[in-house]
Structures are given as C-alpha cells and as structure tokens.
C-alpha cells in the first residue's frame, strides 16, 4: 500500500476552496455582528432558551471564521 500525496494535496485544496465558498457566500462576518448586537440588547437574557441558541450559533460561526482564517495562513 503506497500513500498518494498528490491525492491528499488535491483533497486539501478542494476542502479549502469549499470552506472559502461557504465563508464568502454565507456572510459569516455579518452573522457574527448580528448575534453580537442581539446579545447587547436589553432583554436578551430574559429568554434563556433563545439566548443559549443565539450564543451557540454565534460560537459556531466564530469557529468557522477562525478555521477559515487559519487555513489562509
């Protein structure tokens, strides 16, 4: 069994392109800003279930953004 580095490199390139496309087409930065504004609203913490959902989504998009930026290095 030999290891095919060319196939691995090609797969990494495709994955990076997919991440880039996801990042750009879904306006990740805008979504993060939207969630940050929601968190700052006066009544944000009154609905615990909704606030947890928003925090979870914000963290999800921040992770996507972080991974995308790290992949560009």
């Amino acid at each position: 069994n030999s290891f095919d580095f060319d196939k691995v490199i090609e797969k990494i390139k495709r994955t990076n392109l997919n991440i880039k496309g996801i990042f750009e087409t879904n306006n990740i930065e805008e979504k993060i800003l939207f969630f940050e504004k929601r968190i700052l609203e006066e009544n944000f913490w009154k609905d615990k279930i909704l606030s947890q959902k928003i925090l979870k989504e914000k963290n999800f998009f921040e992770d996507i953004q972080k991974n995308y930026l790290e992949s560009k290095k």
Side-chain angles (χ1 to χ4, degrees):
N1 254 351
S2 64
F3 192 76
D4 190 343
F5 285 104
D6 290 333
K7 285 184 180 179
V8 172
I9 291 170
E10 187 59 35
K11 186 172 184 177
I12 291 170
K13 286 180 182 178
R14 281 195 312 266
T15 301
N16 191 28
L17 288 175
N18 289 340
I19 291 171
K20 182 178 179 183
I22 290 169
F23 186 81
E24 291 174 349
T25 59
N26 288 309
N27 300 319
I28 301 298
E29 290 176 5
E30 289 177 23
K31 289 181 180 181
I32 293 170
L33 289 173
F34 170 78
F35 290 127
E36 288 175 349
K37 287 178 185 177
R38 290 287 307 268
I39 291 167
L40 294 174
E41 290 177 359
E42 184 178 334
N43 297 321
F44 176 75
W45 297 105
K46 286 187 177 181
D47 185 341
K48 290 183 182 184
I49 294 172
L50 180 59
S51 61
Q52 288 175 349
K53 180 181 176 189
I54 290 172
L55 290 173
K56 192 176 207 178
E57 288 187 49
K58 179 181 174 279
N59 289 334
F60 173 75
F61 288 116
E62 286 175 335
D63 286 344
I64 291 173
Q65 182 182 46
K66 178 183 170 192
N67 291 330
Y68 171 72
L69 294 174
E70 287 176 359
S71 74
K72 289 177 64 174
K73 292 180 182 179

